[in-house]
Amino acid sequence: PGTSPRPLPEGLAHHLPAKSDIVLQTHFHLTGKPENEQSSIGLYFGEKKPVRQFTSIQLPPVFGAFSGIDLAPGAAETVVTDSFELPVDVRAFGAQPHSHYRGKSLSMTAHLPDGESIVLLDIPDWDMDWQEEYRFAEQVLLPAGTRIEVDVAWDNSEASTNNPVVPPVRVRWGFESLDEMGSIDLFVVPAGDR
């Protein structure tokens, strides 16, 4: 909620087939009194058919559902690392991190076959209320064999000002804001498809 629109690069679009349903998932917390809700979404339609396709590579997949997220009560730092080796050359044009309240930091680094490393995204002080989708100033060429590595860290300590439950309780992966998730999406197009 409240994020700024991030137009896709020229020639790209999300495909929305005719007669599709759009499902919007929102997180609400009980306040003890009646509340009004006025969510809305904006759709921007392209004037031309997209000239190329794009995809996202999410690490860990499914927002970390299978990565064993298990935050012990009082743990100041729990880290999950995941990686993926690119089978083809791609151009990366953006990234989108995701975590909940206890998220501490998220980073994504590309380790190229020639030994060079490129930091694609680094958020050392995560704030769930400022989740954004980031566009790179320039597309980043990532050749086949590049290993994309993601580190996601959480702070489930009493000292964390973002911990919504004090004293801390055990937290595992889940859909609710009081559960946890953690991943970064990397948006890419085939390198030969300019």
Side-chain angles (χ1 to χ4, degrees):
T3 57
S4 303
R6 295 282 184 260
L8 290 168
E10 186 68 31
L12 299 181
H14 290 278
H15 180 65
L16 185 62
K19 299 184 181 183
S20 293
D21 291 328
I22 296 176
V23 179
L24 178 68
Q25 180 188 31
T26 56
H27 295 243
F28 296 102
H29 296 282
L30 297 174
T31 63
K33 59 185 179 33
E35 299 287 350
N36 292 320
E37 193 279 327
Q38 295 180 316
S39 294
S40 63
I41 62 170
L43 299 176
Y44 299 83
F45 294 95
E47 295 180 13
K48 296 185 237 173
K49 185 176 181 176
V51 296
R52 56 191 174 155
Q53 295 183 341
F54 72 96
T55 192
S56 69
I57 301 165
Q58 188 180 76
L59 297 171
V62 196
F63 300 101
F66 307 109
S67 60
I69 296 172
D70 186 2
L71 313 181
E77 184 166 278
T78 302
V79 180
V80 166
T81 299
D82 197 6
S83 65
F84 175 77
E85 187 172 307
L86 296 173
V88 297
D89 299 350
V90 299
R91 292 187 183 278
F93 64 86
Q96 183 173 20
H98 181 74
S99 191
H100 292 175
Y101 290 111
R102 295 172 189 85
K104 182 175 184 178
S105 62
L106 295 96
S107 66
M108 176 181 272
T109 304
H111 302 284
L112 281 61
D114 67 5
E116 180 185 2
S117 292
I118 302 169
V119 175
L120 298 171
L121 186 71
D122 184 22
I123 301 175
D125 190 13
W126 174 257
D127 184 337
M128 181 173 132
D129 294 331
W130 288 94
Q131 294 189 59
E132 288 286 345
E133 187 174 309
Y134 299 92
R135 295 281 185 256
F136 303 147
E138 304 267 334
Q139 291 187 359
V140 181
L141 176 62
L142 301 173
T146 296
R147 185 173 52 84
I148 308 296
E149 183 173 283
V150 167
D151 292 311
V152 181
W154 296 268
D155 183 349
N156 192 25
S157 70
E158 200 165 318
S160 170
T161 57
N162 294 325
N163 197 335
V165 180
V166 177
V169 297
R170 181 166 299 282
V171 178
R172 293 190 173 92
W173 188 92
F175 288 109
E176 301 296 325
S177 293
L178 296 179
D179 299 323
E180 268 307 333
M181 291 184 176
S183 64
I184 301 176
D185 282 280
L186 180 66
F187 302 108
V188 299
V189 293
D193 198 10
R194 283 192 157 244

